[in-house]
Amino acid sequence: MPFVKEPPHQHGTVSSSAVVLVNLGTPDEPTRGAVRRYLKQFLSDPRVVEIPKAVWWFILHGIILPFRSGASAKKYASIWTRDGSPLRVHTSNQAMLLHAALGERGHGDVTVAMAMRYGSPSLPDVLARLKADGCDRIVILPAYPQYSGTTTGSIWDAVFAHYRKIRNIPELRLVKNYHDHDGYIEALRQNILAHWETHGRGEKLVMSFHGVPKRTLLLGDPYHCECHKTARLLAARLKLKPEDYIVTFQSRFGKAEWLQPYTAPTVAQLAKDGVRRLDVICPGFTSDCLETLEEIAMEVRHDFLSNGGKEFHYIPCLNENAHWIAALAEIAEQHMIGWPTMTTPTQRALRQHDANKGREAALAKGAPQ
């Protein structure tokens, strides 16, 4: 197998570390063509759709892409901002804030980059750029708190596929999950309390997580259990009683059974049962996106109000929340233990001095410039 050509080795270069914050992805613009390209890449991933390839190819290209792209483009247009896709904007901001937070903790030599599993900036492109910049220690940090083979597992596929073609592979550390990380749970708590302080508290809190087919649970995917653990820890931190909240799963696609209870019919039934004011949060999403801003804040809101509910409150994702950025920094820091990321100016000068001595020795032995 041919390998990608390595960049010229520069003797005397001090190695560096990086954190790559990886989110799902988004179309480049809310148009039918851009959405079709995005959906084609996303729905062609065998981690996302576990249907025999030949059968799925016909369904995808013959039914879904021709008919769903236009409808999805309209939904994206309804949430698009002046700066672009909300998911990309928030993830980019998180990466910049994470870099600043790590710097404040003393990790001033760490690069932080944003990448998308589908769409741009693509994960392979970001990894290639980091290699060209001399990064040889990389933490891959998914934006998914709960592990699923359909999400985090797919990121690993992309990382491993990229490095199969690379001769000189950097040291890698992969963050599998942080569904029960104290900083993440505390960030969710603070986010909810801030909303309640401003808008008041609803009669019930719905914690809506993205759904996956039920068969993935039966085949050993831990996602369902990790979602419920997040909800349990968050409820305990908020001092909620069991009757105060409910865990649901949204974004069902196709005719197969997915994790239940489903968010939309559950919310509609709550309204029919007499719940007048409802709060909904999506703990599994760390950045607001189509699934939160359109599906929950618009469609599910309509379901609640049209079935007798009077007041619906969507609690935004963590986004640029300061508690969340602090939690991200803690998670990244924990996965960089042992790396030379906390260097004083004196230590940095010593490292460069040692690198220069190494360069002189290499050149003395005939190494090319």
Side-chain angles (χ1 to χ4, degrees):
M1 179 180 67
F3 293 101
V4 175
K5 184 179 179 181
E6 290 287 325
H9 180 68
Q10 300 291 331
H11 291 287
T13 300
V14 177
S15 60
S16 61
S17 305
V19 175
V20 182
L21 181 63
V22 188
N23 214 326
L24 182 76
T26 174
D28 291 325
E29 54 186 2
T31 62
R32 182 186 183 94
V35 170
R36 182 185 178 112
R37 289 191 297 273
Y38 170 73
L39 289 178
K40 180 180 178 181
Q41 183 186 13
F42 173 46
L43 296 176
S44 295
D45 188 341
R47 286 277 191 178
V48 175
V49 181
E50 296 184 50
I51 294 177
K53 187 174 181 179
V55 175
W56 180 241
W57 189 96
F58 173 77
I59 296 173
L60 178 62
H61 292 270
I63 302 174
I64 294 176
L65 292 180
F67 296 101
R68 189 177 177 185
S69 298
S72 293
K74 292 179 181 178
K75 292 183 177 183
Y76 275 106
S78 71
I79 64 155
W80 214 257
T81 72
R82 183 174 58 183
D83 296 322
S85 162
L87 181 140
R88 180 179 290 150
V89 170
H90 289 306
T91 308
S92 177
N93 289 341
Q94 288 169 357
M96 290 187 291
L97 292 169
L98 174 57
H99 181 263
L102 288 173
E104 292 173 358
R105 289 170 174 261
H107 303 281
D109 293 335
V110 177
T111 298
V112 178
M114 173 194 73
M116 298 294 173
R117 175 61 184 91
Y118 314 102
S120 62
S122 76
L123 182 53
D125 286 348
V126 171
L127 295 176
R129 175 168 55 81
L130 290 173
K131 182 177 180 62
D133 291 342
C135 290
D136 62 356
R137 293 179 298 271
I138 299 176
V139 173
I140 305 294
L141 176 52
Y144 319 126
Q146 297 77 25
Y147 174 90
S148 173
T150 62
T151 52
T152 306
S154 179
I155 289 177
W156 297 167
D157 287 346
V159 170
F160 299 148
H162 173 75
Y163 284 118
R164 281 189 64 193
K165 304 173 184 177
I166 303 300
R167 186 180 302 278
N168 185 12
I169 298 175
E171 181 177 352
L172 294 171
R173 293 185 181 176
L174 314 176
V175 181
K176 181 178 181 180
N177 54 21
Y178 43 91
H179 62 289
D180 55 357
H181 189 278
D182 185 73
Y184 162 64
I185 299 298
E186 180 62 16
L188 289 172
R189 184 182 83 94
Q190 292 290 346
N191 195 36
I192 293 171
L193 290 179
H195 183 88
W196 284 348
E197 184 177 353
T198 302
H199 303 283
R201 178 172 167 176
E203 299 168 49
K204 191 178 288 286
L205 176 66
V206 173
M207 302 184 195
S208 179
F209 293 85
H210 198 287
V212 294
K214 182 180 178 180
R215 69 185 296 271
T216 62
L217 168 63
L218 302 179
L219 291 172
D221 196 300
Y223 177 73
H224 178 264
C225 300
E226 293 188 3
C227 289
H228 275 279
K229 186 172 184 180
T230 294
R232 175 171 56 82
L233 293 174
L234 178 56
R237 192 72 65 92
L238 289 166
K239 296 181 171 56
L240 300 181
K241 299 176 182 178
E243 61 269 23
D244 293 334
Y245 74 99
I246 184 171
V247 176
T248 63
F249 296 90
Q250 64 183 86
S251 308
R252 181 186 174 208
F253 176 72
K255 296 182 179 181
E257 181 180 359
W258 281 38
L259 297 180
Q260 294 198 43
Y262 302 136
T263 299
T266 298
V267 166
Q269 188 60 51
L270 287 172
K272 294 175 183 177
D273 291 342
V275 174
R276 291 294 173 260
R277 172 172 173 152
L278 189 68
D279 296 333
V280 181
I281 190 170
C282 301
F285 297 89
T286 53
S287 293
D288 271 311
C289 56
L290 184 72
E291 287 79 4
T292 64
L293 297 174
E294 195 278 335
E295 182 178 356
I296 298 297
M298 295 182 188
E299 292 185 8
V300 173
R301 175 192 297 273
H302 177 268
D303 292 336
F304 181 71
L305 298 178
S306 62
N307 282 280
K310 299 302 180 183
E311 200 170 337
F312 180 97
H313 286 263
Y314 165 65
I315 301 176
C317 290
L318 293 171
N319 296 326
E320 293 84 7
N321 181 291
H323 296 281
W324 167 231
I325 301 304
L328 267 180
E330 289 178 9
I331 294 166
E333 188 175 51
Q334 289 166 2
H335 286 80
M336 295 189 295
I337 290 176
W339 286 357
T341 60
M342 300 185 72
T343 55
T344 65
T346 300
Q347 291 171 326
R348 196 172 298 117
L350 287 173
R351 289 181 64 197
Q352 186 62 61
H353 175 72
D354 290 341
N356 291 339
K357 290 181 64 176
R359 181 176 186 275
E360 292 172 3
L363 294 178
K365 290 183 175 295
Q369 294 284 340

